[in-house]
Amino acid sequence: DLPGAKKGGTVTVLQRDAFEHLDPGQIYVSDELIMQTLYNRTLTNYQFDDKTGKAKLVGDLATDTGKSSDGGRTWTYTLKDGLKFEDGSPITSKDVRHAVERLYAPFEAAGPTYLQQWLSGEGQKYRKALPDGPYKGKHLPSSVLDTPDDKTIVFHFDQPRAEVPFAVAMPNIGAVPPGKDTKQKYDKAPLASGPYKIKNFKPGKGIQFVRNDQWDPRTDPIRHQYVDMFDVSFGHQWVDSTRRLQADKGADRTGMTFTNAVDPSQISTVLKDKEAMSRSLTETQPYVDVVSINTDRVKDKKVREAIAWAFPSGQYLQQFGGPKAGEVGGGLVGPTLKGYDPSFDPYQKKKYPGGNAKKARELLKEAGKEGYELVYAYGNGDTHQDASVVVQQALERAGFTVQKKEIDQSTYYTQIGKVKNKFDLYRSSWGA
């Protein structure tokens, strides 16, 4: 139990972006990753120690983090006793097998692919092992994925895989009952295995999570069920959620946000408000924001280098609150990772906060591509709209022609994730 915790009440959650996916197999972005822990259990998961702030990996549906044999090529998981879905049916190894095998189906396109690739081939090759998923009665051979009894799941890999315990903590390696799998429709109404279940999902508007009476706290080392309901509403720009959570009135007294940041224009007032700061989280995240260049469309290396020199990283960050909101990175490794080198900065992003337009123009001229047209895609959140103006101006100073393309924030990752998308530049982020 958590000291001082009380049962009952509703927590309101203010989110800017609507959840695009509820199917654990499709979940990969941070707001949905947080949200799914309420209703979705996985083979392993992370237990947080409030005193030290540290996390450790533990068994979740499984009794432990896995037993390896055959030099790390085979991993065996045993399910705990007393596990049930929200409808009261027991969770068995067949449900875990089904959860894994459905990831091979073509409609499962948004979630992590580590385990599938290790079992059946890199890139998208793994899909050939089970092109229809389990939906036409076929399964992965027992030499790859075996369920010798109702409690046991065995993964067989062609090479040692030390990272398996961490991969099976991802949202898509849980349990889905074959008889209740509605394929694409499962994205709107997945069956709960955690302490809460879904009630009232209104796409684009909000979602409520209420107690799941089939969840047994004795089986769960990481979750609690103190709150009666989590009432999540979408469409709250950062300016709105910051103002409401700082004011701390009415329903907002039991309010929070999963992923909205403090609004850039209000950072200094929140920092001076000791009471609000006691309710705020200020940490370096594991995410490194990057602007991806679509190399299928921008094929000339000199043009890509010109983009890298021209991009106004410091001015871009300023739109989100400057040094109080983040720091400019010179490379893809962030400060939370071992091996981080703060001096690594090949494109001199820290020296030129507005980009080095002169260097970029020279490269475009060498390539014979002056006036090169770029399609810059960005989400329609207010801060991203402000940042898009800064990006356009910097790229135009460097000799590019820029066409801006605004994307609905709630489907942003799906749009930029399309292999044949029509954009040249777009922000994304990645966390270790």
Side-chain angles (χ1 to χ4, degrees), residues 79-160:
L79 295 179
K80 292 171 181 167
D81 294 329
L83 300 171
K84 290 178 186 174
F85 289 109
E86 66 178 82
D87 63 359
S89 59
I91 295 173
T92 72
S93 60
K94 302 288 184 292
D95 304 314
V96 176
R97 182 180 75 178
H98 186 79
V100 173
E101 290 181 336
R102 70 195 293 276
L103 303 175
Y104 288 67
F107 68 85
E108 288 285 332
T113 55
Y114 296 105
L115 197 75
Q116 307 91 288
Q117 290 179 342
W118 297 344
L119 288 170
S120 307
E122 291 301 313
Q124 291 292 306
K125 270 193 234 154
Y126 72 87
R127 293 193 190 271
K128 291 178 184 167
L130 207 61
D132 301 306
Y135 300 111
K136 291 188 178 170
K138 291 191 173 165
H139 296 288
L140 293 170
S142 56
S143 58
V144 173
L145 176 57
D146 196 12
T147 49
D149 57 52
D150 277 354
K151 283 287 179 68
T152 311
I153 302 107
V154 188
F155 299 104
H156 297 283
F157 305 97
D158 63 355
Q159 58 180 284

Coordinates of all heavy atoms in Angstrom, one line a residue, residues 79-160:
L79 N 3.0 -18.2 -16.1 CA 2.0 -17.3 -15.7 C 1.6 -17.5 -14.2 O 1.6 -18.6 -13.7 CB 0.7 -17.4 -16.6 CG 0.8 -17.1 -18.0 CD1 -0.5 -17.3 -18.8 CD2 1.2 -15.6 -18.2
K80 N 1.2 -16.4 -13.6 CA 0.8 -16.5 -12.2 C -0.6 -17.2 -12.1 O -1.3 -17.2 -13.0 CB 0.7 -15.1 -11.6 CG 2.0 -14.4 -11.4 CD 1.8 -12.9 -11.1 CE 3.1 -12.2 -10.9 NZ 2.9 -10.7 -10.9
D81 N -0.9 -17.6 -10.9 CA -2.3 -18.1 -10.6 C -3.2 -16.9 -10.4 O -2.8 -15.9 -9.9 CB -2.3 -19.0 -9.3 CG -1.4 -20.2 -9.4 OD1 -1.4 -20.8 -10.6 OD2 -0.8 -20.7 -8.4
G82 N -4.5 -17.1 -10.7 CA -5.5 -16.1 -10.3 C -5.6 -15.0 -11.3 O -6.3 -14.0 -11.0
L83 N -5.0 -15.1 -12.5 CA -5.1 -14.0 -13.5 C -6.4 -14.1 -14.3 O -6.8 -15.2 -14.7 CB -4.0 -14.1 -14.5 CG -2.5 -13.9 -13.9 CD1 -1.5 -14.2 -15.0 CD2 -2.3 -12.5 -13.4
K84 N -7.2 -13.0 -14.4 CA -8.4 -13.0 -15.1 C -8.6 -11.8 -16.0 O -8.1 -10.7 -15.7 CB -9.6 -13.1 -14.2 CG -9.8 -14.4 -13.4 CD -10.9 -14.3 -12.5 CE -11.0 -15.5 -11.6 NZ -12.1 -15.4 -10.6
F85 N -9.4 -11.9 -17.1 CA -9.8 -10.8 -17.9 C -11.0 -10.2 -17.2 O -11.6 -10.7 -16.3 CB -10.2 -11.2 -19.3 CG -9.0 -11.6 -20.2 CD1 -8.8 -13.0 -20.5 CD2 -8.2 -10.7 -20.7 CE1 -7.8 -13.3 -21.3 CE2 -7.1 -11.0 -21.5 CZ -6.9 -12.4 -21.8
E86 N -11.4 -9.0 -17.7 CA -12.6 -8.3 -17.0 C -13.9 -9.1 -17.1 O -14.8 -8.8 -16.3 CB -12.8 -6.9 -17.7 CG -13.2 -7.0 -19.2 CD -13.5 -5.6 -19.8 OE1 -12.5 -5.0 -20.2 OE2 -14.6 -5.2 -19.8
D87 N -14.0 -10.0 -18.0 CA -15.2 -10.8 -18.1 C -15.2 -12.1 -17.2 O -16.1 -12.9 -17.2 CB -15.5 -11.3 -19.5 CG -14.4 -12.2 -20.1 OD1 -13.4 -12.4 -19.4 OD2 -14.6 -12.6 -21.3
G88 N -14.1 -12.2 -16.4 CA -13.9 -13.3 -15.4 C -13.2 -14.5 -16.0 O -13.0 -15.5 -15.3
S89 N -13.0 -14.6 -17.3 CA -12.3 -15.7 -17.9 C -10.8 -15.7 -17.5 O -10.2 -14.7 -17.4 CB -12.5 -15.8 -19.4 OG -12.0 -14.6 -20.0
P90 N -10.3 -16.9 -17.3 CA -8.9 -17.0 -16.9 C -7.9 -16.6 -18.0 O -8.2 -16.9 -19.2 CB -8.7 -18.5 -16.5 CG -9.8 -19.2 -17.2 CD -10.9 -18.3 -17.3
I91 N -6.8 -16.0 -17.7 CA -5.8 -15.7 -18.6 C -4.8 -16.9 -18.7 O -4.2 -17.3 -17.7 CB -5.0 -14.4 -18.2 CG1 -6.0 -13.2 -18.3 CG2 -3.8 -14.2 -19.2 CD1 -5.4 -11.9 -17.7
T92 N -4.7 -17.5 -19.9 CA -3.8 -18.6 -20.1 C -2.7 -18.3 -21.1 O -2.7 -17.3 -21.8 CB -4.6 -19.8 -20.7 OG1 -5.0 -19.6 -22.0 CG2 -5.9 -20.1 -19.8
S93 N -1.8 -19.3 -21.3 CA -0.7 -19.1 -22.2 C -1.2 -19.0 -23.7 O -0.6 -18.3 -24.5 CB 0.2 -20.3 -22.1 OG -0.5 -21.5 -22.4
K94 N -2.4 -19.6 -24.0 CA -3.0 -19.4 -25.3 C -3.3 -18.0 -25.6 O -3.2 -17.5 -26.8 CB -4.2 -20.3 -25.5 CG -4.0 -21.8 -25.2 CD -3.3 -22.5 -26.3 CE -3.1 -24.0 -26.0 NZ -2.3 -24.4 -24.9
D95 N -3.7 -17.2 -24.6 CA -4.0 -15.8 -24.8 C -2.8 -15.0 -25.1 O -2.8 -14.0 -25.8 CB -4.8 -15.3 -23.6 CG -6.0 -16.1 -23.2 OD1 -6.8 -16.4 -24.2 OD2 -6.2 -16.4 -22.1
V96 N -1.7 -15.4 -24.4 CA -0.4 -14.7 -24.6 C 0.1 -15.0 -26.0 O 0.5 -14.1 -26.8 CB 0.6 -15.1 -23.6 CG1 2.0 -14.4 -23.9 CG2 0.2 -14.7 -22.2
R97 N 0.0 -16.3 -26.4 CA 0.4 -16.7 -27.8 C -0.4 -15.9 -28.8 O 0.1 -15.4 -29.8 CB 0.2 -18.2 -28.0 CG 0.7 -18.7 -29.4 CD 0.5 -20.1 -29.6 NE -0.9 -20.5 -29.8 CZ -1.4 -21.7 -30.1 NH1 -0.5 -22.7 -30.1 NH2 -2.6 -21.9 -30.3
H98 N -1.7 -15.8 -28.6 CA -2.6 -15.1 -29.5 C -2.2 -13.6 -29.6 O -2.1 -13.0 -30.7 CB -4.0 -15.2 -29.1 CG -5.0 -14.6 -30.1 ND1 -5.3 -15.2 -31.3 CD2 -5.6 -13.4 -30.2 CE1 -6.1 -14.5 -32.0 NE2 -6.3 -13.3 -31.3
A99 N -1.8 -13.0 -28.5 CA -1.4 -11.6 -28.4 C -0.2 -11.4 -29.3 O 0.0 -10.4 -30.0 CB -1.2 -11.1 -27.0
V100 N 0.8 -12.3 -29.2 CA 2.0 -12.2 -30.0 C 1.7 -12.5 -31.5 O 2.2 -11.7 -32.4 CB 3.1 -13.2 -29.5 CG1 4.3 -13.3 -30.4 CG2 3.5 -12.9 -28.1
E101 N 0.9 -13.5 -31.8 CA 0.7 -13.9 -33.2 C -0.1 -12.9 -34.0 O 0.1 -12.7 -35.2 CB 0.1 -15.3 -33.3 CG 1.0 -16.4 -32.8 CD 0.4 -17.8 -32.9 OE1 -0.8 -17.9 -32.8 OE2 1.2 -18.8 -33.0
R102 N -1.0 -12.2 -33.3 CA -1.8 -11.2 -34.0 C -1.0 -10.0 -34.4 O -1.4 -9.2 -35.3 CB -3.0 -10.7 -33.1 CG -2.6 -9.9 -31.9 CD -3.8 -9.8 -30.9 NE -4.9 -9.1 -31.4 CZ -5.0 -7.7 -31.4 NH1 -4.1 -7.0 -30.9 NH2 -6.1 -7.2 -31.9
L103 N 0.2 -9.8 -33.8 CA 1.1 -8.7 -34.2 C 1.7 -8.9 -35.7 O 2.2 -8.0 -36.3 CB 2.3 -8.6 -33.3 CG 1.9 -8.4 -31.8 CD1 3.2 -8.4 -30.9 CD2 1.1 -7.1 -31.6
Y104 N 1.5 -10.2 -36.2 CA 2.0 -10.5 -37.5 C 1.0 -10.0 -38.6 O 1.3 -10.0 -39.8 CB 2.3 -12.0 -37.7 CG 3.5 -12.4 -36.9 CD1 3.6 -12.4 -35.6 CD2 4.6 -12.9 -37.7 CE1 4.7 -12.9 -34.9 CE2 5.8 -13.4 -37.0 CZ 5.8 -13.4 -35.6 OH 6.9 -13.8 -34.9
A105 N -0.3 -9.8 -38.2 CA -1.3 -9.4 -39.1 C -1.1 -8.0 -39.7 O -0.5 -7.2 -39.0 CB -2.7 -9.4 -38.4
P106 N -1.5 -7.8 -41.0 CA -1.1 -6.5 -41.7 C -1.7 -5.3 -41.0 O -1.0 -4.2 -41.0 CB -1.8 -6.7 -43.0 CG -2.0 -8.1 -43.2 CD -2.2 -8.7 -41.9
F107 N -2.8 -5.4 -40.3 CA -3.4 -4.2 -39.6 C -2.7 -3.8 -38.4 O -2.8 -2.7 -37.9 CB -4.9 -4.4 -39.3 CG -5.2 -5.4 -38.3 CD1 -5.2 -5.0 -36.9 CD2 -5.5 -6.7 -38.6 CE1 -5.5 -5.9 -35.9 CE2 -5.8 -7.6 -37.6 CZ -5.8 -7.3 -36.2
E108 N -1.8 -4.7 -37.8 CA -1.0 -4.3 -36.6 C 0.2 -3.6 -37.1 O 1.3 -4.2 -37.4 CB -0.7 -5.5 -35.8 CG -1.9 -6.1 -35.1 CD -2.3 -5.3 -33.9 OE1 -1.4 -4.7 -33.3 OE2 -3.5 -5.3 -33.5
A109 N 0.2 -2.3 -37.2 CA 1.3 -1.6 -37.9 C 2.0 -0.5 -37.1 O 3.0 0.0 -37.5 CB 0.7 -0.9 -39.2
A110 N 1.4 -0.2 -35.9 CA 2.0 1.0 -35.2 C 2.8 0.6 -34.0 O 3.5 1.5 -33.5 CB 0.8 1.8 -34.7
G111 N 2.8 -0.6 -33.4 CA 3.5 -0.9 -32.2 C 4.9 -1.4 -32.4 O 5.4 -1.4 -33.5
P112 N 5.6 -1.7 -31.3 CA 7.0 -2.2 -31.3 C 7.1 -3.5 -32.1 O 6.1 -4.3 -32.1 CB 7.3 -2.4 -29.8 CG 6.3 -1.7 -29.0 CD 5.1 -1.6 -29.9
T113 N 8.2 -3.7 -32.7 CA 8.4 -4.9 -33.5 C 9.6 -5.8 -33.0 O 10.0 -6.7 -33.7 CB 8.6 -4.6 -35.0 OG1 9.7 -3.7 -35.1 CG2 7.4 -4.0 -35.6
Y114 N 10.2 -5.4 -31.9 CA 11.4 -6.2 -31.4 C 11.2 -7.7 -31.4 O 11.9 -8.4 -32.0 CB 11.9 -5.7 -30.1 CG 12.3 -4.2 -30.0 CD1 11.4 -3.2 -29.5 CD2 13.5 -3.8 -30.6 CE1 11.8 -1.9 -29.5 CE2 13.8 -2.5 -30.6 CZ 13.0 -1.5 -30.0 OH 13.4 -0.2 -30.0
L115 N 10.2 -8.1 -30.6 CA 10.1 -9.5 -30.4 C 9.7 -10.3 -31.7 O 10.3 -11.4 -31.9 CB 9.0 -9.8 -29.3 CG 9.0 -11.2 -28.7 CD1 10.2 -11.3 -27.7 CD2 7.7 -11.6 -28.0
Q116 N 8.8 -9.7 -32.5 CA 8.5 -10.4 -33.7 C 9.7 -10.6 -34.6 O 9.9 -11.6 -35.3 CB 7.4 -9.6 -34.5 CG 6.2 -9.2 -33.7 CD 6.3 -7.9 -33.1 OE1 7.0 -7.7 -32.1 NE2 5.6 -6.9 -33.6
Q117 N 10.5 -9.5 -34.7 CA 11.7 -9.6 -35.6 C 12.7 -10.6 -35.1 O 13.3 -11.3 -35.8 CB 12.3 -8.2 -35.7 CG 11.5 -7.2 -36.5 CD 12.1 -5.8 -36.6 OE1 13.0 -5.5 -35.8 NE2 11.6 -5.0 -37.5
W118 N 12.9 -10.7 -33.8 CA 13.8 -11.6 -33.2 C 13.3 -13.1 -33.4 O 14.1 -14.0 -33.6 CB 14.0 -11.4 -31.7 CG 14.6 -10.1 -31.4 CD1 15.2 -9.2 -32.2 CD2 14.6 -9.4 -30.1 NE1 15.6 -8.1 -31.5 CE2 15.2 -8.2 -30.2 CE3 14.1 -9.8 -28.8 CZ2 15.4 -7.3 -29.2 CZ3 14.3 -8.9 -27.8 CH2 14.9 -7.7 -27.9
L119 N 12.0 -13.2 -33.4 CA 11.5 -14.6 -33.6 C 11.5 -15.0 -35.1 O 11.7 -16.2 -35.4 CB 10.0 -14.7 -33.1 CG 9.8 -14.6 -31.6 CD1 8.3 -14.5 -31.3 CD2 10.3 -15.9 -30.9
S120 N 11.2 -14.0 -36.0 CA 10.9 -14.4 -37.4 C 11.5 -13.6 -38.5 O 11.1 -13.7 -39.6 CB 9.4 -14.4 -37.6 OG 8.7 -15.1 -36.6
G121 N 12.5 -12.7 -38.1 CA 13.2 -12.0 -39.2 C 13.1 -10.5 -39.1 O 12.1 -9.9 -38.7
E122 N 14.1 -9.8 -39.6 CA 14.3 -8.4 -39.5 C 13.3 -7.6 -40.4 O 12.7 -8.2 -41.3 CB 15.7 -8.0 -39.8 CG 16.7 -8.4 -38.8 CD 16.5 -7.8 -37.4 OE1 16.2 -6.6 -37.3 OE2 16.5 -8.6 -36.4
G123 N 13.2 -6.3 -40.2 CA 12.4 -5.4 -41.0 C 11.0 -5.9 -41.0 O 10.4 -6.2 -39.9
Q124 N 10.3 -6.0 -42.2 CA 9.0 -6.5 -42.2 C 8.9 -8.0 -42.6 O 7.9 -8.6 -42.9 CB 8.2 -5.7 -43.3 CG 7.9 -4.3 -42.8 CD 6.9 -4.2 -41.6 OE1 5.8 -4.7 -41.7 NE2 7.3 -3.5 -40.5
K125 N 10.1 -8.6 -42.7 CA 10.2 -10.0 -43.1 C 9.5 -10.9 -42.2 O 8.9 -12.0 -42.6 CB 11.7 -10.5 -43.1 CG 12.4 -10.2 -44.5 CD 13.8 -11.0 -44.5 CE 14.9 -10.0 -44.8 NZ 16.2 -10.4 -44.3
Y126 N 9.4 -10.6 -40.9 CA 8.7 -11.4 -39.9 C 7.3 -11.7 -40.3 O 6.8 -12.8 -40.0 CB 8.8 -10.8 -38.5 CG 7.9 -9.6 -38.3 CD1 6.6 -9.8 -37.9 CD2 8.4 -8.3 -38.5 CE1 5.8 -8.7 -37.6 CE2 7.7 -7.2 -38.2 CZ 6.3 -7.4 -37.8 OH 5.6 -6.3 -37.6
R127 N 6.6 -10.8 -41.0 CA 5.2 -11.0 -41.3 C 5.0 -12.2 -42.2 O 3.9 -12.8 -42.2 CB 4.7 -9.7 -42.0 CG 4.6 -8.5 -41.0 CD 3.8 -7.4 -41.6 NE 3.9 -6.2 -40.8 CZ 3.1 -5.9 -39.8 NH1 2.2 -6.7 -39.3 NH2 3.3 -4.7 -39.1
K128 N 6.0 -12.6 -43.0 CA 5.9 -13.7 -43.9 C 5.7 -15.0 -43.2 O 5.2 -16.0 -43.7 CB 7.1 -13.8 -44.8 CG 7.2 -12.7 -45.9 CD 8.4 -12.8 -46.7 CE 8.5 -11.6 -47.7 NZ 9.8 -11.5 -48.3
A129 N 6.1 -15.0 -41.9 CA 6.0 -16.3 -41.1 C 4.6 -16.6 -40.7 O 4.2 -17.7 -40.5 CB 6.9 -16.1 -39.8
L130 N 3.7 -15.5 -40.7 CA 2.3 -15.7 -40.4 C 1.5 -14.5 -41.0 O 1.0 -13.7 -40.3 CB 2.2 -15.7 -38.8 CG 1.0 -16.4 -38.2 CD1 1.0 -17.9 -38.5 CD2 1.0 -16.2 -36.7
P131 N 1.4 -14.5 -42.4 CA 0.9 -13.4 -43.1 C -0.5 -12.9 -42.7 O -0.9 -11.8 -42.8 CB 0.9 -13.7 -44.5 CG 1.5 -15.1 -44.6 CD 1.8 -15.6 -43.2
D132 N -1.4 -13.9 -42.2 CA -2.7 -13.5 -41.8 C -2.8 -13.4 -40.3 O -3.9 -13.4 -39.7 CB -3.7 -14.6 -42.3 CG -3.7 -14.7 -43.8 OD1 -3.9 -13.6 -44.5 OD2 -3.5 -15.8 -44.3
G133 N -1.7 -13.5 -39.6 CA -1.8 -13.6 -38.1 C -2.4 -14.9 -37.8 O -2.3 -15.9 -38.6
P134 N -3.0 -15.1 -36.6 CA -3.6 -16.4 -36.2 C -5.1 -16.5 -36.7 O -5.7 -17.5 -36.4 CB -3.6 -16.3 -34.7 CG -3.7 -14.8 -34.4 CD -3.1 -14.1 -35.6
Y135 N -5.5 -15.6 -37.6 CA -7.0 -15.5 -37.9 C -7.5 -16.6 -38.9 O -8.7 -16.7 -39.0 CB -7.3 -14.1 -38.4 CG -7.0 -13.1 -37.4 CD1 -5.9 -12.2 -37.6 CD2 -7.7 -13.0 -36.2 CE1 -5.6 -11.2 -36.6 CE2 -7.4 -12.1 -35.2 CZ -6.3 -11.2 -35.4 OH -6.0 -10.3 -34.5
K136 N -6.6 -17.3 -39.5 CA -7.1 -18.4 -40.4 C -6.6 -19.8 -39.9 O -6.4 -20.7 -40.6 CB -6.6 -18.2 -41.8 CG -7.2 -17.0 -42.5 CD -6.9 -16.8 -43.9 CE -7.6 -15.6 -44.5 NZ -7.2 -15.3 -45.9
G137 N -6.4 -19.8 -38.5 CA -6.1 -21.1 -37.9 C -4.7 -21.5 -37.9 O -4.3 -22.6 -37.4
K138 N -3.8 -20.7 -38.5 CA -2.4 -21.1 -38.5 C -1.7 -20.5 -37.3 O -2.1 -19.4 -36.7 CB -1.7 -20.6 -39.8 CG -2.2 -21.4 -41.0 CD -1.3 -21.1 -42.2 CE -1.8 -22.0 -43.3 NZ -1.3 -21.6 -44.6
H139 N -0.6 -21.1 -36.9 CA 0.2 -20.6 -35.7 C 1.7 -20.6 -36.0 O 2.1 -21.3 -37.0 CB 0.0 -21.5 -34.5 CG -1.5 -21.4 -34.0 ND1 -2.0 -20.3 -33.4 CD2 -2.5 -22.3 -34.1 CE1 -3.2 -20.5 -33.1 NE2 -3.6 -21.7 -33.5
L140 N 2.5 -19.9 -35.3 CA 3.9 -20.1 -35.4 C 4.3 -21.5 -34.9 O 3.7 -22.0 -34.0 CB 4.7 -19.0 -34.5 CG 4.5 -17.6 -34.9 CD1 5.0 -16.7 -33.8 CD2 5.2 -17.3 -36.2
P141 N 5.3 -22.1 -35.5 CA 5.7 -23.5 -35.1 C 6.1 -23.5 -33.6 O 6.6 -22.5 -33.1 CB 6.8 -23.9 -36.0 CG 7.3 -22.6 -36.6 CD 6.2 -21.6 -36.6
S142 N 6.0 -24.6 -33.0 CA 6.4 -24.7 -31.6 C 7.9 -24.6 -31.4 O 8.4 -24.3 -30.3 CB 5.9 -26.0 -30.9 OG 6.4 -27.1 -31.7
S143 N 8.6 -24.7 -32.5 CA 10.1 -24.5 -32.4 C 10.4 -23.0 -32.3 O 11.6 -22.6 -32.1 CB 10.8 -25.1 -33.7 OG 10.2 -24.5 -34.8
V144 N 9.4 -22.1 -32.5 CA 9.6 -20.7 -32.4 C 8.8 -20.2 -31.1 O 9.4 -19.4 -30.3 CB 9.1 -20.0 -33.7 CG1 9.1 -18.4 -33.5 CG2 9.9 -20.3 -34.9
L145 N 7.6 -20.5 -31.0 CA 6.7 -20.1 -29.9 C 5.9 -21.3 -29.4 O 5.1 -21.8 -30.1 CB 5.8 -19.0 -30.3 CG 4.8 -18.4 -29.3 CD1 5.5 -17.9 -28.1 CD2 4.0 -17.3 -29.9
D146 N 6.2 -21.7 -28.2 CA 5.6 -22.9 -27.7 C 4.8 -22.6 -26.4 O 5.1 -21.8 -25.6 CB 6.7 -24.0 -27.4 CG 6.1 -25.4 -27.2 OD1 4.9 -25.6 -27.6 OD2 6.8 -26.3 -26.7
T147 N 3.6 -23.3 -26.3 CA 2.8 -23.2 -25.1 C 2.5 -24.6 -24.6 O 1.4 -25.2 -24.9 CB 1.5 -22.4 -25.4 OG1 0.8 -23.0 -26.5 CG2 1.7 -21.0 -25.6
P148 N 3.4 -25.3 -24.0 CA 3.2 -26.7 -23.6 C 2.1 -27.0 -22.6 O 1.6 -28.1 -22.6 CB 4.6 -27.1 -23.0 CG 5.2 -25.8 -22.6 CD 4.7 -24.8 -23.5
D149 N 1.7 -26.0 -21.9 CA 0.5 -26.1 -21.0 C -0.1 -24.7 -20.8 O 0.4 -23.7 -21.4 CB 0.9 -26.7 -19.6 CG 2.0 -25.9 -18.9 OD1 1.9 -24.7 -18.7 OD2 3.0 -26.5 -18.5
D150 N -1.1 -24.6 -20.0 CA -1.9 -23.4 -19.9 C -1.1 -22.3 -19.2 O -1.5 -21.1 -19.2 CB -3.2 -23.6 -19.1 CG -4.3 -24.1 -20.0 OD1 -4.1 -24.2 -21.2 OD2 -5.4 -24.5 -19.5
K151 N 0.0 -22.6 -18.5 CA 0.7 -21.7 -17.7 C 2.1 -21.3 -18.3 O 2.7 -20.4 -17.8 CB 1.0 -22.3 -16.3 CG -0.2 -22.2 -15.4 CD -0.4 -20.8 -14.9 CE -1.6 -20.7 -14.0 NZ -1.4 -21.3 -12.7
T152 N 2.5 -22.0 -19.4 CA 3.9 -21.8 -19.8 C 4.0 -21.3 -21.2 O 3.3 -21.7 -22.1 CB 4.6 -23.2 -19.7 OG1 4.4 -23.7 -18.5 CG2 6.1 -23.0 -20.0
I153 N 4.9 -20.3 -21.4 CA 5.1 -19.7 -22.8 C 6.6 -19.8 -23.0 O 7.4 -19.4 -22.1 CB 4.7 -18.2 -22.9 CG1 3.2 -18.1 -22.6 CG2 5.0 -17.6 -24.2 CD1 3.0 -17.4 -21.2
V154 N 7.0 -20.4 -24.1 CA 8.5 -20.5 -24.4 C 8.8 -19.9 -25.8 O 8.2 -20.2 -26.8 CB 8.9 -22.0 -24.5 CG1 10.4 -22.1 -24.6 CG2 8.4 -22.8 -23.3
F155 N 9.7 -18.9 -25.7 CA 10.2 -18.3 -27.0 C 11.6 -18.9 -27.4 O 12.5 -19.0 -26.5 CB 10.4 -16.8 -26.7 CG 9.2 -16.0 -26.3 CD1 8.9 -15.6 -25.0 CD2 8.2 -15.7 -27.3 CE1 7.8 -15.0 -24.6 CE2 7.0 -15.0 -26.9 CZ 6.8 -14.6 -25.6
H156 N 11.7 -19.3 -28.6 CA 12.9 -19.8 -29.2 C 13.5 -18.8 -30.2 O 12.8 -18.5 -31.2 CB 12.7 -21.2 -29.8 CG 12.2 -22.2 -28.9 ND1 13.0 -22.9 -28.0 CD2 11.0 -22.7 -28.7 CE1 12.3 -23.8 -27.3 NE2 11.1 -23.7 -27.7
F157 N 14.7 -18.4 -30.0 CA 15.4 -17.5 -30.9 C 16.6 -18.1 -31.6 O 17.1 -19.1 -31.1 CB 15.9 -16.2 -30.2 CG 14.8 -15.5 -29.4 CD1 14.6 -15.7 -28.1 CD2 13.9 -14.7 -30.1 CE1 13.6 -15.1 -27.4 CE2 12.8 -14.0 -29.4 CZ 12.7 -14.3 -28.0
D158 N 17.0 -17.6 -32.8 CA 18.1 -18.3 -33.5 C 19.4 -17.8 -33.0 O 20.5 -18.2 -33.4 CB 18.0 -18.0 -35.0 CG 18.0 -16.6 -35.4 OD1 18.1 -15.7 -34.5 OD2 18.0 -16.3 -36.6
Q159 N 19.4 -16.8 -32.1 CA 20.7 -16.3 -31.5 C 20.4 -15.8 -30.1 O 19.2 -15.6 -29.7 CB 21.3 -15.2 -32.3 CG 20.4 -14.0 -32.5 CD 21.1 -12.9 -33.4 OE1 21.9 -12.2 -32.9 NE2 20.7 -12.8 -34.6
P160 N 21.4 -15.7 -29.2 CA 21.1 -15.2 -27.9 C 20.5 -13.8 -27.8 O 20.9 -13.0 -28.6 CB 22.5 -15.2 -27.2 CG 23.4 -16.1 -28.1 CD 22.8 -16.0 -29.5

